[in-house]
Amino acid sequence: MELWDAYDASFHKVENVTLIRGEPIPEGLFHLVCDVIVKHADGDYLLMQRDSRKHHGGMWEATAGGSALRGESPLDCAVRELHEETGIDAKQLVEVGRVVGEQNHTLYVEFSCVTDQPKNSVILQEGETSDYKWVGKDELVSMKKSELVTERMQNFVKELQAEEEKQ
């Protein structure tokens, strides 16, 4: 049984309330999910392919991440999930955004990290990921919406495109 802290829509922890994975989340409460966008020191981005048995199986994600466990800070969650899903030990994570997912009662805290870990040292997590690849910014922004999971991922790619157009 996976236990989560409850939060309000302003990212404040609600004391003395515990949520349980798989059970309905009461109206007005949220659980916390942390995602990490991984960029290699050479400029490439890490994409992880979701295991075919998961929701959106076979699609690519521009992040590694998951739900924060009870008592876990957003940063602690991000570091744990990054290591579990990729084998990457983050030296420094930077928070880059927060999103409220009203429909699914989820708060997302987005982080980024830059790693110089060898690209072939990524470790897949059984049942979570089935493949990985490193892609340059051009390839990432040219990926079709049908290849990338979630609107959050697509928004990240749009931000990269906008950044590229400024340069």
Side-chain angles (χ1 to χ4, degrees):
M1 177 180 351
E2 190 171 299
L3 303 177
W4 302 330
D5 289 321
Y7 289 81
D8 64 22
S10 298
F11 290 81
H12 297 113
K13 195 182 295 187
V14 177
E15 296 300 322
N16 302 316
V17 179
T18 298
L19 304 174
I20 300 172
R21 183 194 258 320
E23 292 189 5
I25 296 174
E27 199 59 41
L29 296 180
F30 297 83
H31 86 288
L32 183 69
V33 169
C34 298
D35 291 317
V36 183
I37 299 161
V38 181
K39 186 175 182 180
H40 197 271
D42 70 5
D44 285 349
Y45 291 88
L46 178 62
L47 295 182
M48 304 296 294
Q49 188 173 40
R50 293 176 65 84
D51 186 279
S52 62
R53 297 165 285 189
K54 290 185 63 84
H55 184 61
H56 298 297
M59 293 182 79
W60 292 94
E61 291 187 277
T63 62
S67 296
L69 303 175
R70 187 172 61 185
E72 208 170 35
S73 73
L75 180 60
D76 290 340
C77 172
V79 168
R80 176 183 55 78
E81 286 286 350
L82 178 63
H83 181 76
E84 286 178 1
E85 292 188 8
T86 68
I88 294 173
D89 291 315
K91 294 183 175 122
Q92 184 176 7
L93 296 178
V94 176
E95 186 177 323
V96 294
R98 292 182 173 212
V99 176
V100 178
E102 293 282 347
Q103 295 98 333
N104 59 359
H105 298 273
T106 305
L107 303 176
Y108 299 95
V109 180
E110 305 286 340
F111 292 89
S112 69
C113 81
V114 177
T115 183
D116 59 359
Q117 187 169 317
K119 288 182 171 181
N120 64 354
S121 66
V122 172
I123 299 168
L124 301 175
Q125 183 181 13
E126 177 67 31
E128 291 287 330
T129 54
S130 58
D131 201 1
Y132 72 93
K133 62 182 176 179
W134 292 92
V135 300
K137 187 191 295 186
D138 290 342
E139 183 177 346
L140 182 59
V141 299
S142 69
M143 289 182 78
K144 297 177 182 122
K145 285 185 177 183
S146 61
E147 296 175 295
L148 280 175
V149 175
T150 77
E151 189 175 337
R152 288 187 345 276
M153 302 298 160
Q154 294 161 13
N155 288 339
F156 170 66
V157 170
K158 286 178 192 172
E159 290 170 14
L160 282 177
Q161 285 174 316
E163 183 180 301
E164 191 171 272
E165 290 169 6
K166 288 179 190 176
Q167 296 174 355

